[in-house]
Amino acid sequence: MRRFFKSRMVALFAASVLGLAPTTFAQASLVGEWEGTLDANGTQVHILWHVTAAADGTVTSTFDNQDEGVNGIKAKFAEFSGSKLTLTVDDQVEINGSTVNVRGTFVGTVSKEGNEVTGTWTQTDPEQPPADIDFKRHVEKPAPAAAAPKTPDSDSISRE
């Protein structure tokens, strides 16, 4: 049970790695929806990363741990330089009616194409082994084209 709880905590903290944080113009290139997988001691945890830009240029991000149903985890600090991304988390979330501290750092690299971020989450409270995370930009698939309405062919109209 304790090991399962530790895995859950690592996953929660990793999910919070890219939470709400004031950011720079360079980080605007990360705006969008990202899907990731955290490897928590062999357990795969599915994480969504939402990066948004406000009208004033402020970029923020939140994380959702899909497997645990924990949403809106926030980061306190973010730095994006070249292809290196560093995020620091110091937040609290509610899990099953209990408040849980989320503290740690994510250090990752953005791919040249800008469609993948790979890195490591290091949880500091409570301390856990580092966990790898791989995020891929979620690309919306276009909706299928609506079928053209059928019109009766002039030869198929019956005349009385």
Side-chain angles (χ1 to χ4, degrees):
M1 175 73 170
R2 183 171 169 90
R3 183 172 185 204
F4 177 73
F5 182 71
K6 281 186 175 184
S7 292
R8 289 180 70 182
M9 295 301 289
V10 167
L12 273 173
F13 294 143
S16 68
V17 119
L18 300 174
L20 184 65
T23 59
T24 65
F25 177 75
Q27 288 169 310
S29 65
L30 298 175
V31 169
E33 300 294 314
W34 298 76
E35 296 176 340
T37 304
L38 165 76
D39 182 3
N41 298 318
T43 300
Q44 302 298 303
V45 180
H46 301 91
I47 307 295
L48 295 180
W49 174 26
H50 313 282
V51 184
T52 58
D56 68 359
T58 303
V59 177
T60 60
S61 60
T62 61
F63 274 89
D64 301 336
N65 177 329
Q66 291 183 290
D67 298 318
E68 298 297 327
V70 178
N71 300 319
I73 304 169
K74 304 171 213 82
K76 182 177 181 180
F77 173 78
E79 182 180 0
F80 187 39
S81 178
S83 63
K84 184 178 178 183
L85 176 64
T86 302
L87 297 137
T88 302
V89 174
D90 186 357
D91 195 15
Q92 293 183 332
V93 296
E94 292 292 320
I95 302 173
N96 298 324
S98 297
T99 301
V100 177
N101 290 323
V102 179
R103 292 188 183 103
T105 302
F106 174 81
V107 177
T109 302
V110 179
S111 68
K112 288 182 184 180
E113 299 80 19
N115 59 3
E116 188 170 358
V117 178
T118 57
T120 302
W121 164 251
T122 303
Q123 180 177 310
T124 58
D125 182 16
E127 190 173 343
Q128 296 292 321
D132 293 333
I133 305 176
D134 181 21
F135 286 102
K136 293 186 185 337
R137 190 181 296 273
H138 178 72
V139 178
E140 289 288 327
K141 294 180 183 173
K150 293 186 178 184
T151 57
D153 185 13
S154 60
D155 293 331
S156 65
I157 299 175
S158 63
R159 298 181 187 188
E160 293 181 21

